[in-house]
Amino acid sequence: METNSFDAIVVGSGMSGGWAAKELTEKGLKTLVLERGRMVKHGEYPTATKNPWDLPYGNRITQETRKHKYVWSRTGYPTPANEHWMIDDLENPFVEEAPFDWMRGHHVGGRSIMWARQSYRFGPLDMEANGKEGVGVPWPVTYDEIAPWYDKAEIFAGISGSADGLYQLPDGKYLPPHDLNCVETDFKRRLDDKLGRKLIIGRCANLTAPLTHNESPQRGTCQARNLCIRGCPYGGYFSSVSATLPSAERTGNMTLLADQIVYELIYDNDRGKATGVRVLDAKTGNQTDYFAKIVFLCASALGSAYIMLNSTSARFPNGFGNDSGELGHNIMDHNKPGSSNASVEGYLDVAYTGRRPNGFYIPRYRNVGKDKRNYLRGFGYQGRAARAGYARFNDSAAIGEDLKKEFQEPGPWNISMTAFGEILPYHDNHCRIDRDKKDKYGLPLLVVNAIVRDNERKMEEDMKNDAAEMLTAAGFKDVKVRSDSYNVGNSIHEMGTARMGADPKKSVLNKFNQVHACKNVFVTDGSFMPSSGCQNPSLTYMAFTARAADHAVSELKKGNL
Ligand SMILES: Cc1cc2nc3c(=O)[nH]c(=O)nc-3n(C[C@H](O)[C@H](O)[C@H](O)COP(=O)(O)OP(=O)(O)OC[C@H]3O[C@@H](n4cnc5c(N)ncnc54)[C@H](O)[C@@H]3O)c2cc1C
Ligand code: SF4
């Protein structure tokens, strides 16, 4: 029992688990981090330095991969260069009552290794909307309360960006921004002149300059190799394995165990506290209990919901902390029903120099200020302009000298962009556990049922029409707006299963991410989000995790936990 006891347990080692581990260990807590997937240490990225010709099948996946990674495959993400970060869906089944693109990475670092690093703050517009509109529950935290924690997360992670002075997208503490290229710069000007809409360079977690601190000295600046999803040996982008976990390790206070599936919280009814977690070893099937004063659930929005729903007791017959009946409900993601592109004439004297692991961002402008639509909330676009690559020769009729000559020039410019919109928190969008269906470990399966509804469909009209309007107004040609078939989960921003709120009757967590009904359990992944904004959410998980850890340690010191 002695060796199984710690001050804190963190479940999951991805984006939020890494932050919890760093903050808790730096504050002196002996912390056990439990990760259900395999061990990965910074630098252990098997394909990171492989050349295109070193990758099998021209870097295209096989039918076998398609079969095993069927959820991932329907989104087009896996390639031989990155598929080792994507779980085998056959081995990790769940029940899709409605199709749900649940894209999981089970390994140390979680999806922080694979993310596209876009990092935007939620602002007052996002955090006040639920309260003003009577949707879901109001955020119990104001923007001013979380702003200093955003500062902390941005400085440590190393987010690059520009200060743009937009109310709907507050500025942060940034490393120098990447540059917009010539086409994007002209697009920006024309959008502003003709439609009064702003275009900015993406804010992203790639180091455009050395960090301003030495808390994670193993990181070098980004070399713009654009191979980030494979893992970056330079530590050029923020991930748990390049930044937070090494910082936690340096304290000497972290024990990190891989291949450990947490399936239940242990609850002491007499003390009204969680005393630890119950774990299955993924390799041996052995069961172990680990004990701690506080538990941080950071297993991702559906992963943490699963553990809580599976933790039933006399006190919590419907799932851990589920007095409100909201646990597992209000699943959100981002509305992403298509993309648009156009060809760009001219600019052929400008070579497309270098690569840039970033693109442009058009921040939300709908339902901002005087703009009022027939739906709630809004959307932003992420995109880039680039010169066509050599794939264009697939269709070329040229041979011999002509082909060689054509090869010497990059192709014409084109521009593409995708809208990400807010999805409202609907109680009916939910997950639950089916105890009659089991996985290979004998654990019951998660059932997921989430769809887009009227508000998102109305928004979709604007997303498409506005894209066409903007690309046309900029003078681009062959404007195409594509409607993609799309399932919730496809934006990989799942949120909301254990929302925070001031009223315990309507929410699962309080304003410090503590379970209302059991204060020594904190949930700091996307589960806590009361609304989804339209910004990529991971930076918000980092900020709230750091704040929750600070609160946890101070409450622990006061003897309140
Ligand atoms: C291709 C891609 C692009 C993305 N781009 C962006 C972007 O540009 N910006 C952005 O903000 N976000 C982006 N995201 C989303 C981002 O990766 C997630 O929001 C973020 O990683 C979620 O953090 P998390 O800690 O909740 O979960 P994760 O990072 O997924 O970590 C959860 C960890 O918990 C472990 N775990 C789960 N269940 C258990 C259990 N029962 N026991 C023990 N361990 C468990 C998992 O194995 C995993 O390691 C992207 C994701 C992908 C895949
Ligand atoms: S673009 Fe930068 S962060 Fe990405 S893999 Fe290359 S060097 Fe690393």
Side-chain angles (χ1 to χ4, degrees), residues 279-492:
V279 175
L280 274 182
D281 187 297
K283 287 186 166 158
T284 63
N286 289 344
Q287 195 231 295
T288 314
D289 290 351
Y290 291 100
F291 303 95
K293 295 171 194 155
I294 53 171
V295 178
F296 267 64
L297 290 183
C298 301
S300 82
L302 295 181
S304 292
Y306 176 87
I307 296 167
M308 295 172 82
L309 287 163
N310 197 38
S311 306
T312 51
S313 59
R315 167 69 184 84
F316 297 122
N318 301 318
F320 196 88
N322 193 15
D323 294 351
S324 63
E326 294 295 339
L327 180 63
H329 290 269
N330 313 300
I331 293 179
M332 297 168 286
D333 181 34
H334 284 138
N335 192 17
K336 195 177 66 166
S339 59
S340 48
N341 62 69
S343 48
V344 181
E345 289 178 338
Y347 307 92
L348 293 176
D349 55 331
V350 185
Y352 178 55
T353 52
R355 287 168 286 187
R356 185 192 58 185
N358 195 2
F360 64 74
Y361 189 59
I362 300 175
R364 173 178 160 187
Y365 50 86
R366 288 296 179 208
N367 289 320
V368 178
K370 293 204 175 95
D371 183 81
K372 293 279 172 280
R373 315 305 294 172
N374 65 344
Y375 54 84
L376 300 175
R377 319 295 164 95
F379 51 88
Y381 293 90
Q382 300 182 28
R384 67 184 66 214
R387 290 189 76 163
Y390 297 98
R392 73 187 197 274
F393 294 116
N394 292 346
D395 298 324
S396 172
I399 51 168
E401 275 308 307
D402 290 344
L403 184 63
K404 284 185 190 164
K405 209 161 161 218
E406 279 189 34
F407 252 107
Q408 288 166 16
E409 285 292 325
W413 285 88
N414 51 49
I415 187 162
S416 58
M417 57 193 207
T418 301
F420 286 78
E422 181 155 356
I423 293 185
L424 297 177
Y426 302 104
H427 183 81
D428 286 350
N429 282 351
H430 74 284
C431 60
R432 60 180 194 277
I433 280 184
D434 184 339
R435 297 205 177 270
D436 295 329
K437 297 196 174 95
K438 302 268 167 71
D439 66 12
K440 65 175 182 178
Y441 305 104
L443 296 173
L445 299 193
L446 193 70
V447 181
V448 184
N449 186 338
I451 56 171
V452 291
R453 295 167 198 269
D454 278 358
N455 196 62
E456 292 75 39
R457 288 199 203 97
K458 283 184 192 149
M459 176 187 290
E460 185 180 331
E461 288 300 304
D462 268 2
M463 292 164 128
K464 291 177 183 165
N465 293 340
D466 289 7
E469 178 191 32
M470 290 192 277
L471 293 170
T472 307
F476 301 135
K477 299 284 183 283
D478 307 323
V479 174
K480 292 191 186 71
V481 178
R482 240 179 44 210
S483 277
D484 294 332
S485 76
Y486 138 88
N487 304 318
V488 180
N490 192 284
S491 294
I492 332 184

Side-chain angles (χ1 to χ4, degrees), residues 139-332:
W139 280 70
V141 180
T142 64
Y143 174 70
D144 287 345
E145 281 173 282
I146 197 65
W149 299 97
Y150 273 128
D151 290 355
K152 180 182 170 87
E154 285 159 348
I155 292 167
F156 177 80
I159 310 294
S160 69
S162 55
D164 301 291
L166 301 171
Y167 167 70
Q168 67 271 40
L169 195 73
D171 295 328
K173 304 280 182 202
Y174 298 132
L175 294 173
H178 286 112
D179 291 329
L180 294 169
N181 63 38
C182 56
V183 172
E184 294 165 350
T185 303
D186 281 357
F187 187 30
K188 174 186 172 80
R189 185 173 44 75
R190 289 177 196 166
L191 269 187
D192 207 356
D193 289 353
K194 298 197 173 163
L195 299 167
R197 291 180 197 154
K198 305 293 170 202
L199 180 149
I200 63 172
I201 185 70
R203 298 171 177 177
C204 83
N206 289 72
L207 301 187
T208 52
L211 285 167
T212 52
H213 59 81
N214 66 356
E215 291 169 43
S216 50
Q218 69 281 1
R219 296 183 60 192
T221 50
C222 172
Q223 312 292 305
R225 301 160 70 237
N226 274 34
L227 302 175
C228 314
I229 198 168
R230 299 182 188 183
C232 178
Y234 303 99
Y237 72 95
F238 171 86
S239 72
S240 300
V241 280
S242 69
T244 43
L245 292 175
S247 294
E249 190 157 35
R250 281 203 304 166
T251 65
N253 289 329
M254 178 174 75
T255 304
L256 170 60
L257 298 180
D259 300 307
Q260 303 299 310
I261 304 171
V262 176
Y263 64 93
E264 199 175 5
L265 288 151
I266 306 168
Y267 183 68
D268 183 330
N269 207 23
D270 296 336
R271 292 160 67 202
K273 281 183 191 182
T275 51
V277 295
R278 212 144 260 162
V279 175
L280 274 182
D281 187 297
K283 287 186 166 158
T284 63
N286 289 344
Q287 195 231 295
T288 314
D289 290 351
Y290 291 100
F291 303 95
K293 295 171 194 155
I294 53 171
V295 178
F296 267 64
L297 290 183
C298 301
S300 82
L302 295 181
S304 292
Y306 176 87
I307 296 167
M308 295 172 82
L309 287 163
N310 197 38
S311 306
T312 51
S313 59
R315 167 69 184 84
F316 297 122
N318 301 318
F320 196 88
N322 193 15
D323 294 351
S324 63
E326 294 295 339
L327 180 63
H329 290 269
N330 313 300
I331 293 179
M332 297 168 286

